[in-house]
Amino acid sequence: MYLVTVLGNLLIILAVISDSHLHTPMYFFLSNLSLADICFISITVPKMIVDIQSESRVISYFSCLTQMSLFVIFACMDDMHLSVMAYDRFVAISHPLHYSAIMHPCLCGFLVLVSFSISLLDSQLHNLIALQFIYFKDIEISNFFCDPSQLLNLACSGSFRNNKVIYFLGIIFGI
């Protein structure tokens, strides 16, 4: 399934790049979404496959933070790209005569850059929460996947405020 997902998304990217008829904002956003999907699935699945083969489900704290950062970046980018694509379709349906003036290449690039920047900010907020717990530095977590809620469950105290921040970020991105 991993290879099918990666190859399918690569085919979408190659089709958009190779055909000049597909050089429109909709396909530009679709190829960016495909790239984010490739990165998103490549964060956890290869580690999971290695862990299944070696029968080990241990991840170090540093690897956990790295995996969590990249996972949050690409998960958020997926959501942001879908929002940008919805805006693109809204403009195409609501203002068809002004579509090319509204969705020009500079705006498309800016929207992708903003989605990456917001994703990076969200990831850094999750990292700041996880880095508060300095006593995790030398432990290994017995799971192939690491997310902020899992680290907060390992914390002995003081996680209520951090849980509120994570829920607040989830609500903001849900809206």
Side-chain angles (χ1 to χ4, degrees):
M1 288 305 297
Y2 172 70
L3 290 176
V4 168
T5 304
V6 170
L7 291 175
N9 283 313
L10 280 175
L11 282 174
I12 291 171
I13 292 170
L14 290 174
V16 171
I17 289 172
S18 64
D19 190 0
S20 62
H21 293 97
L22 299 179
H23 292 178
T24 62
M26 180 177 74
Y27 291 107
F28 173 72
F29 295 135
L30 182 64
S31 62
N32 280 304
L33 179 67
S34 294
L35 181 64
D37 281 341
I38 290 171
C39 296
F40 178 68
I41 198 163
S42 296
I43 299 301
T44 55
V45 174
K47 170 87 169 102
M48 181 182 68
I49 292 170
V50 168
D51 287 350
I52 289 171
Q53 292 296 320
S54 67
E55 296 180 8
S56 169
R57 292 180 46 193
V58 176
I59 187 169
S60 69
Y61 180 71
F62 177 74
S63 298
C64 178
L65 286 180
T66 304
Q67 184 186 54
M68 182 183 68
S69 297
L70 294 173
F71 184 80
V72 170
I73 285 172
F74 293 118
C76 186
M77 276 180 65
D78 264 358
D79 295 341
M80 297 298 292
H81 283 315
L82 289 172
S83 298
V84 167
M85 290 174 77
Y87 174 71
D88 175 59
R89 292 296 87 198
F90 169 75
V91 171
I93 293 169
S94 299
H95 308 288
L97 298 176
H98 299 291
Y99 178 75
S100 59
I102 295 171
M103 296 302 292
H104 52 84
C106 291
L107 179 64
C108 295
F110 176 74
L111 290 173
V112 169
L113 183 66
V114 165
S115 68
F116 177 73
S117 300
I118 290 173
S119 302
L120 192 61
L121 176 68
D122 183 37
S123 172
Q124 293 310 309
L125 287 173
H126 282 91
N127 268 348
L128 287 174
I129 290 170
L131 288 172
Q132 289 177 356
F133 306 116
I134 58 173
Y135 44 87
F136 288 155
K137 300 243 186 280
D138 296 327
I139 68 166
E140 291 183 336
I141 299 165
S142 62
N143 202 347
F144 66 89
F145 178 70
C146 189
D147 64 331
S149 61
Q150 187 176 11
L151 288 178
L152 289 178
N153 287 338
L154 291 174
C156 297
S157 63
S159 65
F160 180 71
R161 179 176 48 98
N162 296 328
N163 275 328
K164 286 194 316 189
V165 169
I166 288 176
Y167 289 135
F168 178 73
L169 288 172
I171 290 169
I172 294 295
F173 283 108
I175 292 172

